[in-house]
Amino acid sequence: MARELKRNSGTQLGYQPLYAQQQARARRWSGSKLDRDAALRDRVLGQLKAGWSPEQIAGRAGQSGQARIGAETIYRFIYAQIRRHNDYSWRHYLPRAKSKRGWRGQRGGSPARLMAHRVPLSERPAAVADRLVPGHWEADLMAFSRYGQTILMLHERMSRALIGSPLPTKQAEPVARAIAAALGALPPALRQTMTFDNGTEFARHYQLAPLGIATYFCDPHAPWQKGGVENAIGRMRRFLPRKTDLAQIDAAHFQTLIAAYNNTPRKCLDWKTPAEAFSEHLLHFERESTFPPARE
């Protein structure tokens, strides 16, 4: 009752039922601003047709003295027309021509804060960033459009060598086992660190500690900080586009595709191939670990 009196009382006569009813009716929504103002609607639609985005229209209107309108008002008007008339041609007024609005991401949604034993990238040894020392890896998953089809990609930062392993699942336990199986046979000097993004598939990273592999994580929403493996996956998309059905690719053919990547010369390696560069490191450490023959 107090709210009703406060909202609908006149300054001179106080609360009057008839006046209160008129005030309530005036406050009722009577359609979008673009529904009510034909001139404004024609101008906005004309600018949308010319390729302007709703944000550009709203910003320009505030500077040119024209009737102000918000970008959200424009978006709501377009999507209302699609729903009202079931006419999806209205979507072409929008820059990306989407017929349905997506969910807006919320800040703080990264699982990084829930990752056990997570060590941030800022604590990774500085020598890793220079790519001058072998044995430092980056990991990521290469996803495909068919549900459940994923490849684990491991990229060695210095040689740019790539190891690929198809996965039956994205669960953290099998992913950790696959990483350990891929790197377990290498000399310890060639498996020193591993850098991940903050995906939950890498939550069991600490299971790599028995192999002497220290694990580090990119900052939230910054997968570009492990750009080597991101670039490698982009190159592999030439052979394995997202629509590929991995069930149609046998193990031998898959390894042939990985070998094609590793045997392609790279400018950053002075035109050596990743396979050649990695083999040099491997032979070097094998020679160091071999004892010289005893003198007689």
Side-chain angles (χ1 to χ4, degrees), residues 7-246:
R7 294 184 70 193
N8 296 317
S9 296
T11 55
Q12 296 181 349
L13 300 178
Y15 184 84
Q16 298 291 328
L18 182 59
Y19 176 77
Q21 185 178 8
Q22 293 172 346
Q23 290 291 96
R25 187 180 296 112
R27 281 194 297 267
R28 288 175 184 165
W29 186 79
S30 58
S32 166
K33 190 174 185 178
L34 292 174
D35 284 319
R36 301 193 305 268
D37 191 333
L40 177 60
R41 180 174 64 248
D42 292 342
R43 175 170 65 81
V44 168
L45 293 179
Q47 290 171 326
L48 289 172
K49 285 182 179 179
W52 291 35
S53 70
E55 288 80 6
Q56 290 169 331
I57 295 172
R60 186 71 173 184
Q63 296 179 1
S64 60
Q66 298 173 332
R68 289 183 174 272
I69 186 168
E72 184 65 20
T73 299
I74 299 174
Y75 277 112
R76 288 183 178 181
F77 173 77
I78 296 298
Y79 286 115
Q81 305 313 305
I82 293 175
R83 293 193 303 271
R84 187 179 303 164
H85 305 291
N86 200 27
D87 182 0
Y88 289 88
S89 65
W90 281 88
R91 66 187 176 89
H92 295 295
Y93 280 108
L94 299 176
R96 299 186 66 182
K98 287 188 175 181
S99 60
K100 192 174 182 180
R101 304 194 77 167
W103 292 99
R104 295 183 179 182
Q106 296 182 355
R107 291 186 178 273
S110 172
R113 58 191 177 87
L114 304 176
M115 197 78 68
H117 312 297
R118 177 183 180 275
V119 181
L121 196 68
S122 59
E123 297 183 22
R124 190 179 69 178
V128 180
D130 297 332
R131 297 181 183 270
L132 299 178
V133 180
H136 303 289
W137 296 79
E138 297 172 352
D140 203 357
L141 299 188
M142 185 177 182
F144 295 86
S145 55
R146 291 179 180 268
Y147 179 77
Q149 295 192 350
T150 309
I151 297 175
L152 170 68
M153 291 295 190
L154 305 178
H155 179 265
E156 204 277 316
R157 288 177 55 84
M158 184 176 179
S159 66
R160 277 71 171 181
L162 185 68
I163 298 175
S165 303
L167 294 174
T169 176
K170 290 174 59 177
Q171 294 180 355
E173 185 76 29
V175 169
R177 288 200 302 265
I179 297 174
L183 301 185
L186 294 177
L190 288 183
R191 46 175 168 84
Q192 300 182 51
T193 71
M194 182 72 69
T195 301
F196 304 102
D197 60 28
N198 293 285
T200 56
E201 60 269 19
F202 302 121
R204 299 295 179 89
H205 63 97
Y206 49 83
Q207 294 184 359
L208 301 175
L211 292 177
I213 301 175
T215 56
Y216 301 93
F217 286 82
C218 300
D219 297 333
H221 313 297
W224 51 267
Q225 292 177 336
K226 53 175 182 55
V229 70
E230 299 279 342
N231 178 269
I233 290 176
R235 289 173 178 267
M236 287 299 298
R237 287 294 184 194
R238 303 172 188 175
F239 312 119
L240 296 169
R242 186 173 290 273
K243 63 181 179 181
T244 301
D245 182 3
L246 294 183

